[in-house]
Amino acid sequence: QVQLVESGGGLVQVGGSLRLSCAASRSIFSIDAMGWYRQAPGKARELVAGISSGGTPNYADSVNGRFTISRGNAKNTVYLQMNSLKPEDTAVYYCSGLLFGRNYWGQGTQVTVSS
């Protein structure tokens, strides 16, 4: 199993940037895939960005070109760099890890983009 802890959320103005971090309890290279999801009030949780164990990233169309998912040098951290933030990016952001066919989740971190 794996425990995930997110950090880095907060309040930012439109056009600003934030970097979210996800610390895993084991090497992320031993996890099949890592991802960032978000859930806005009244909406379903959606995939924002993912990265495979081989390092291939993928992005939702709504964030492509603005967000970047990456792995840290510490080998147990995944980041989500968010630039040019919009009000519609406001949500709770969750880190996830896919391991042996099961999705593990962090507790979430709130991102609020104010206009």
Side-chain angles (χ1 to χ4, degrees), residues 10-11 24 34 59 63 67 81 101 115:
L11 176 65
M34 298 287 297
Y59 300 96
V63 306
F67 291 10
Q81 178 66 43
S115 55

Side-chain angles (χ1 to χ4, degrees), residues 38 46-48 59-67 86 89:
R38 68 186 180 188
E46 62 175 355
L47 176 66
V48 174
Y59 300 96
D61 289 343
S62 59
V63 306
N64 198 19
R66 299 189 296 121
F67 291 10
K86 305 176 181 180
D89 295 318

Side-chain angles (χ1 to χ4, degrees), residues 8-93:
L11 176 65
V12 64
Q13 291 187 334
V14 169
S17 298
L18 281 175
R19 188 176 80 158
L20 305 183
S21 299
C22 173
S25 60
R26 60 189 292 164
S27 170
I28 58 174
F29 295 96
S30 69
I31 300 172
D32 297 323
M34 298 287 297
W36 286 96
Y37 288 72
R38 68 186 180 188
Q39 188 167 20
K43 295 188 176 181
R45 190 172 297 190
E46 62 175 355
L47 176 66
V48 174
I51 188 165
S52 68
S53 57
T56 302
N58 63 281
Y59 300 96
D61 289 343
S62 59
V63 306
N64 198 19
R66 299 189 296 121
F67 291 10
T68 303
I69 188 170
S70 63
R71 300 184 293 197
N73 293 330
K75 299 184 180 180
N76 70 332
T77 304
V78 174
Y79 301 104
L80 184 68
Q81 178 66 43
M82 306 186 294
N83 298 328
S84 303
L85 284 161
K86 305 176 181 180
E88 52 264 42
D89 295 318
T90 295
V92 178
Y93 283 70

